Structures are given as structure tokens and as C-alpha cells.
């Protein structure tokens, strides 16, 4: 089976915190209603959903986060609570591709210098390859077979 890529982009690893360790972090923009917000996101194939700290809800027009449905979950940091915002547009590579997916505002992520870009809505649409031995960089592609 052959594929025709209709979108490709390479993202080099970057550092956003004080430890200077390069991580698979890329710039992402979010759009909800008339609000648009950009924030660095760690690509995490182990995370089911995309998540931000609760303080980011205001940037997407949610003044009172308690109006969003509350859920309870368990992650690497142990048990946590989070709020779910459905229908957020995730913009990758400066508007080259837009994907709609939920965002979780996770209580124990408050104050992190990056969010988490998880699988739901992302990994089922894009081919993602971590090329640590070649750069390091991340290769993303949307091909005609998936689109």
C-alpha cells in the first residue's frame, strides 16, 4: 500500500524549563469560540487525552472552570480531578492542520511550563514518529489513507 502525504512537518525537540533537557515539545494553538491561545505541548503517546493546567481555561474564554464537567482519574502523578472542554480546535504547524478534540484541565498540572498533547483526536489522524537518533526531531504527517 502506498501513501501520498498531504501534510508533513518536522519539529525539533526543545526545552522550556530550567533543566535544558530536550523534549518532544512543539508549539500548539487552541481555538474555542472566538478565543485563540498558544502554548508549548509535550507529545505524549502514553497519554490518552490532551491536557493543560486549570489556569489555562481563562485563555479560552472559560472564566469559571467549575461550569465544565468534573471527572476523576488516575495518572502518573496519582489520583487527580479534571474538567473537560469539548470541541476545542487544536492547530498544528501554524494553521497547516486543524483537529477538533477535547481538552482536559487537570488539577495536578497547575504551573507546568508545558501541556500534554495526547492520543485522542491526534494519533488517530496523524502519523507521528519520534526521531531521537536523527536530530532529535518529531516527524508528523497526514496522509491520503488517513484523511
Amino acid at each position: 500500500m502506498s501513501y501520498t502525504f498531504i501534510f508533513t512537518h518536522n519539529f525539533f525537540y526543545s526545552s522550556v524549563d530550567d533543566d535544558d533537557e530536550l523534549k518532544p515539545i512543539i508549539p500548539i494553538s487552541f481555538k474555542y469560540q472566538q478565543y485563540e491561545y498558544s502554548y508549548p505541548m509535550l507529545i505524549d503517546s502514553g497519554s490518552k487525552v490532551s491536557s493543560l493546567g486549570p489556569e489555562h481555561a481563562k485563555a479560552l474564554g472559560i472564566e469559571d472552570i467549575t461550569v465544565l464537567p468534573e471527572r476523576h482519574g488516575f495518572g502518573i502523578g496519582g489520583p487527580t480531578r479534571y474538567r473537560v472542554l469539548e470541541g476545542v480546535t487544536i492547530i498544528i504547524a501554524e494553521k497547516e492542520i486543524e483537529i477538533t478534540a477535547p481538552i482536559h484541565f487537570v488539577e495536578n498540572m497547575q504551573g507546568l511550563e508545558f501541556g500534554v498533547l495526547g492520543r485522542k483526536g491526534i494519533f488517530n489522524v496523524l502519523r507521528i514518529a519520534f526521531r531521537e537518533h536523527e536530530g532529535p526531531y518529531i516527524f508528523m504527517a497526514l496522509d491520503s489513507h488517513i484523511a
Side-chain angles (χ1 to χ4, degrees):
M1 181 180 297
S2 66
Y3 300 102
T4 302
F5 291 128
I6 55 179
F7 161 82
T8 62
H9 199 88
N10 292 324
F11 295 94
F12 287 93
Y13 280 34
S14 62
S15 174
V16 294
D17 49 22
D18 293 334
D19 69 6
D20 290 331
E21 178 186 350
L22 295 177
K23 299 174 181 76
I25 295 173
I26 65 172
I28 295 289
S29 293
F30 303 93
K31 189 167 34 172
Y32 182 74
Q33 298 174 348
Q34 73 268 24
Y35 300 93
E36 193 165 329
Y37 176 63
S38 296
Y39 202 69
M41 299 291 281
L42 173 78
I43 299 175
D44 185 357
S45 63
S47 179
K48 183 178 179 181
V49 295
S50 297
S51 304
L52 291 165
E55 69 273 20
H56 299 280
K58 286 187 181 189
L60 292 173
I62 308 300
E63 291 298 322
D64 180 8
I65 197 168
T66 64
V67 302
L68 299 176
E70 182 179 80
R71 306 280 190 267
H72 297 267
F74 194 87
I76 247 182
T80 190
R81 294 182 305 176
Y82 59 92
R83 303 285 178 157
V84 181
L85 181 61
E86 298 284 348
V88 177
T89 301
I90 298 172
I91 303 165
I92 300 172
E94 298 170 359
K95 300 189 189 265
E96 284 189 47
I97 188 162
E98 295 185 7
I99 297 167
T100 301
I103 297 294
H104 290 190
F105 296 102
V106 181
E107 193 174 78
N108 65 1
M109 287 182 66
Q110 184 147 350
L112 284 181
E113 295 179 2
F114 53 86
V116 171
L117 191 67
R119 295 186 315 268
K120 188 172 186 177
I122 307 295
F123 283 68
N124 59 323
V125 174
L126 294 173
R127 294 181 183 275
I128 299 174
F130 297 88
R131 304 292 208 170
E132 294 189 1
H133 62 286
E134 297 177 21
Y137 71 92
I138 304 139
F139 171 76
M140 286 188 172
L142 175 65
D143 63 48
S144 59
H145 179 71
I146 295 174

